[in-house]
Amino acid sequence: MSQAIQKTLRDSAAMRWTALLLLALAMFCSYIFMDILSPIKDLMQETRGWDSTAFGTMQGSEVFLNVFAFFLIFAGIILDKMGVRFTAVLSAAVMLIGAIIKWYAVSESFMGSGLETWFTNNLNYIPLFDELGVSPFYEGMPASAKFAACGFMIFGCGCEMAGITVSRGIVKWFKGREMALAMGSEMALARLGVATCMIFSPFFARLGGQVSVTRSVAFGVVLMCIALIMTIVYFVMDMKLDAQTGEAEEKDDPFKVSDIGKILSDSGFWLVALLCVLYYSAIFPFQKYAVNMLQCNLTLTPPAADSFWAQPDVTIVQYVIMLVVAAAGFASNFQKQSVKRFSLLTLSIVALVVYCYMGYMRQSAESIFAVFPLLAVLITPILGSYLDHNGKAASMLVLGSLLLIACHLTFAFVLPMFKGSAVGGIIVAYATILVLGASFSLVPAALWPSVPKLVDAKVIGSAYALIFWIQNIGLWLFPLLIGKVLDATNPGVTDPTQFDYTAPLVMLACLGVAALLLGLVLKVVDKKKGIGLELPNITE
């Protein structure tokens, strides 16, 4: 019997890591498409007439159906009833459909079509949603933005479904093995998708010297096709695994309506849910505006057209260097020999300096912000290991919130002081973005492992579903709010590189202040009730 077990795919390190790679690459592709328009906000205004309100409304539409049609709950039910492999393929297919719709919405073919006329004349008033102020459309919203929002809603349903499915798939393949490392690796690769998007979306939009936002979205659509292929291959592997083990697919307990009352009466649930929505609302919506914010606050002089730094090939070289930063830094955490560990760490740091220098020489806001996930990739394994062996989760939440506040206030008040100083402004920007990335590692690393300690184990699955739903409310609301605040505080400004971002950044810093206060409350509750948030996850 033991020999038969040894022959299963799950017991082969190569096979289970291949399964992880397939799922992680699918999420990597989805993260790229999620922010595909973020680094070209200025081009969307110039070529499609999207002001900040239209841009923010479209970006917030990604999670609209998850919030208001409760699709997030349905996704959990589908996963429970149909299993990991079916839901993985379904989620990739849904994302691809949404991506194709969004691509057509911003394409030249849509302009002047009958479909554009229909969207111009319709969806200007949605009963009830308009009265509540939560409509994903509004009168005067460009037709391309409306149609793109429809596609992004569909994509968002698939993306959220993929997120919970990938986590379940990792548990299935790595249970009793390197599960924490597997989840950390998947998260690291997915976050690199953000950096990839920041570099290649503008690259394709300006390829050949002619601006075309359609090319950027088409690049994302191709990646979603790849993601679908990855999930189909995973489907075959997973089915073969079940055939070998003779096991049915493991399924989570379904979301139960009867659990809601018990969960909502739990103070621990509210502390986690509010911390989650406040923190993530200050990060993910900011990503969608970050490149434009840098364009407005930095003095960037594009290199001469015949310069080496203006050549398209430089983008590829810079991206390869970024991969070296991420791979060497991540791998350094798992080296037992100090010589190898410090050699890899040194390589990562040197490559990071080279990357930053290239970003400065290229005078590119997109490549500057692309450093955002790099420090997170480097320190996520360190933080996870520290929490496992030393604890201090509540303290990490407080520290992460403090860093978040400091970064947004730096962007709001310090960075504009360096406008006119080409070197000083970029140094401040790089340092702040890297620290913000570190904060993005601190809070999730401490938050999610703390949920089982705060919520009754009998309703943990339902609690996670509700937390994700509440989180999605913030991810819908704040891209829209940032756009509205930006337009309201910049009346008459038509140049997309001349906006004053002070008010939106202060608003995001206030979210950090609220998260900080909740973190401090959590420390008090932990001390009084002995929840164990400051204790190590691994007990001897």
Side-chain angles (χ1 to χ4, degrees), residues 200-259:
F200 282 105
S201 179
F203 170 77
F204 284 109
R206 296 185 174 94
L207 190 63
Q210 184 177 2
V211 172
S212 173
V213 296
T214 309
R215 284 196 298 260
S216 293
V217 186
F219 164 64
V221 171
V222 171
L223 290 176
M224 295 320 302
C225 291
I226 294 173
L228 179 58
I229 294 171
M230 294 292 180
T231 58
I232 292 173
V233 176
Y234 173 81
F235 183 101
V236 175
M237 285 187 64
D238 195 78
M239 188 165 57
K240 186 174 181 181
L241 174 64
D242 282 352
Q244 289 178 333
T245 61
E247 300 172 355
E249 285 204 84
E250 292 185 44
K251 298 171 183 177
D252 293 322
D253 292 334
F255 181 87
K256 299 175 183 177
V257 176
S258 59
D259 290 338

Side-chain angles (χ1 to χ4, degrees), residues 330-464:
F330 189 76
S332 69
N333 292 288
F334 307 102
Q335 301 302 315
K336 294 181 179 180
Q337 296 181 10
S338 58
V339 174
K340 290 184 178 179
R341 182 168 64 252
F342 286 113
S343 296
L344 286 170
L345 187 59
T346 301
L347 174 62
S348 179
I349 293 172
V350 170
L352 178 61
V353 172
V354 172
Y355 175 90
C356 291
Y357 173 75
M358 293 184 72
Y360 166 72
M361 293 303 295
R362 294 184 64 200
Q363 294 287 288
S364 166
E366 304 89 17
S367 61
I368 291 172
F369 185 70
V371 302
F372 172 64
L374 295 185
L375 191 57
V377 171
L378 172 62
I379 69 174
T380 295
I382 299 174
L383 294 174
S385 177
Y386 184 86
L387 279 168
D388 283 340
H389 293 90
N390 299 285
K392 304 297 181 183
S395 298
M396 279 196 180
L397 290 172
V398 171
L399 177 58
S401 299
L402 282 170
L403 292 177
L404 178 71
I405 297 166
C407 289
H408 283 314
L409 291 180
T410 300
F411 285 135
F413 298 109
V414 179
L415 188 60
M417 295 169 59
F418 286 85
K419 187 155 182 139
S421 173
V423 178
I426 290 179
I427 289 175
V428 171
Y430 270 135
T432 310
I433 293 166
L434 285 168
V435 172
L436 187 64
S439 170
F440 192 33
S441 286
L442 278 167
V443 174
L447 183 65
W448 297 118
S450 300
V451 175
K453 297 179 181 179
L454 288 162
V455 179
D456 190 336
K458 295 180 180 178
V459 293
I460 190 68
S462 300
Y464 269 121

Side-chain angles (χ1 to χ4, degrees), residues 23-342:
L23 293 174
L25 284 175
M27 290 306 297
F28 171 80
C29 293
S30 71
Y31 266 56
I32 294 175
F33 192 85
M34 190 187 303
D35 279 318
I36 200 70
L37 294 182
S38 299
I40 54 173
K41 176 182 180 290
D42 57 325
L43 299 182
M44 296 308 299
Q45 181 164 339
E46 293 171 2
T47 63
R48 296 297 183 270
W50 294 14
D51 61 13
S52 294
T53 299
F55 183 82
T57 303
M58 191 285 302
Q59 293 282 41
S61 68
E62 178 194 355
V63 295
F64 183 83
L65 292 178
N66 289 326
V67 173
F68 295 103
F70 302 101
F71 186 82
L72 184 59
I73 307 300
F74 296 140
I77 295 173
I78 292 170
L79 176 60
D80 176 66
K81 298 297 182 185
M82 304 305 296
V84 172
R85 58 176 173 264
F86 173 85
T87 312
V89 175
L90 177 63
S91 64
V94 171
M95 285 193 289
L96 178 58
I97 292 170
I100 291 172
I101 293 173
K102 187 173 179 179
W103 164 76
Y104 182 70
V106 302
S107 69
E108 285 75 14
S109 300
F110 179 77
M111 299 170 67
S113 67
L115 197 57
E116 182 186 36
T117 302
W118 189 91
F119 272 92
T120 300
N121 298 328
N122 293 277
L123 299 180
N124 294 312
Y125 171 74
I126 310 295
L128 184 60
F129 286 100
D130 270 274
E131 279 74 16
L132 293 174
V134 297
S135 176
F137 314 107
Y138 61 86
E139 188 169 1
M141 185 177 182
S144 57
K146 288 182 186 176
F147 194 32
C150 292
F152 211 25
M153 288 179 200
I154 296 172
F155 172 85
C157 291
C159 190
E160 200 66 44
M161 188 190 301
I164 60 176
T165 302
V166 167
S167 297
R168 193 68 194 91
I170 293 173
V171 170
K172 179 175 182 178
W173 280 79
F174 285 86
K175 189 173 183 179
R177 297 177 176 85
E178 320 95 325
M179 191 187 302
L181 177 58
M183 287 190 171
S185 301
E186 184 275 326
M187 185 184 298
L189 183 57
R191 285 181 181 173
L192 278 179
V194 178
T196 303
C197 169
M198 296 299 161
I199 287 180
F200 282 105
S201 179
F203 170 77
F204 284 109
R206 296 185 174 94
L207 190 63
Q210 184 177 2
V211 172
S212 173
V213 296
T214 309
R215 284 196 298 260
S216 293
V217 186
F219 164 64
V221 171
V222 171
L223 290 176
M224 295 320 302
C225 291
I226 294 173
L228 179 58
I229 294 171
M230 294 292 180
T231 58
I232 292 173
V233 176
Y234 173 81
F235 183 101
V236 175
M237 285 187 64
D238 195 78
M239 188 165 57
K240 186 174 181 181
L241 174 64
D242 282 352
Q244 289 178 333
T245 61
E247 300 172 355
E249 285 204 84
E250 292 185 44
K251 298 171 183 177
D252 293 322
D253 292 334
F255 181 87
K256 299 175 183 177
V257 176
S258 59
D259 290 338
I260 293 178
K262 186 174 183 179
I263 295 170
L264 297 183
S265 63
D266 190 323
S267 60
F269 164 80
W270 283 110
L271 286 172
V272 173
L274 292 176
L275 260 171
C276 178
V277 71
L278 289 168
Y279 185 81
Y280 279 88
S281 294
I283 291 288
F284 285 118
F286 170 72
Q287 284 181 190
K288 301 181 185 301
Y289 291 87
V291 170
N292 186 234
M293 182 275 295
L294 292 176
Q295 291 170 337
C296 296
N297 285 298
L298 294 176
T299 301
L300 299 172
T301 305
D306 58 350
S307 165
F308 166 77
W309 300 106
Q311 303 308 308
D313 293 347
V314 178
T315 300
I316 308 298
V317 174
Q318 193 176 18
Y319 186 65
V320 171
I321 293 173
M322 174 193 290
L323 294 181
V324 172
V325 176
F330 189 76
S332 69
N333 292 288
F334 307 102
Q335 301 302 315
K336 294 181 179 180
Q337 296 181 10
S338 58
V339 174
K340 290 184 178 179
R341 182 168 64 252
F342 286 113

